[in-house]
Amino acid sequence: MNKNSDDNRKCIKGIACDVCNCQHNDGECHCTAGKISVGPSFASCCSETVCATFEARE
């Protein structure tokens, strides 16, 4: 797990995240965002979707 000031963040159960440079990834493929948003609403297959909650790690 990443050792930073956000170590007390809770993981969203059932959500796996492989995006290592997202600030919501705890370093163990767990999402720690308070909630996630996936879009766009007009997608017709999974390759057309994106996690709109992504925020680049500084």
Side-chain angles (χ1 to χ4, degrees):
M1 181 178 260
N2 291 327
K3 298 297 179 198
N4 59 36
S5 61
D6 294 328
D7 279 348
N8 294 326
R9 298 180 300 175
K10 294 189 178 186
C11 299
I12 301 174
K13 291 186 182 212
I15 302 295
C17 179
D18 294 325
V19 184
C20 297
N21 66 322
C22 180
Q23 73 174 4
H24 302 295
N25 185 318
D26 72 350
E28 296 179 6
C29 295
H30 302 124
C31 180
T32 61
K35 64 180 182 176
I36 63 168
S37 177
V38 178
S41 60
F42 54 84
S44 60
C45 64
C46 66
S47 65
E48 295 177 352
T49 63
V50 65
C51 178
T53 309
F54 170 82
E55 293 182 47
R57 190 180 305 275
E58 294 178 10

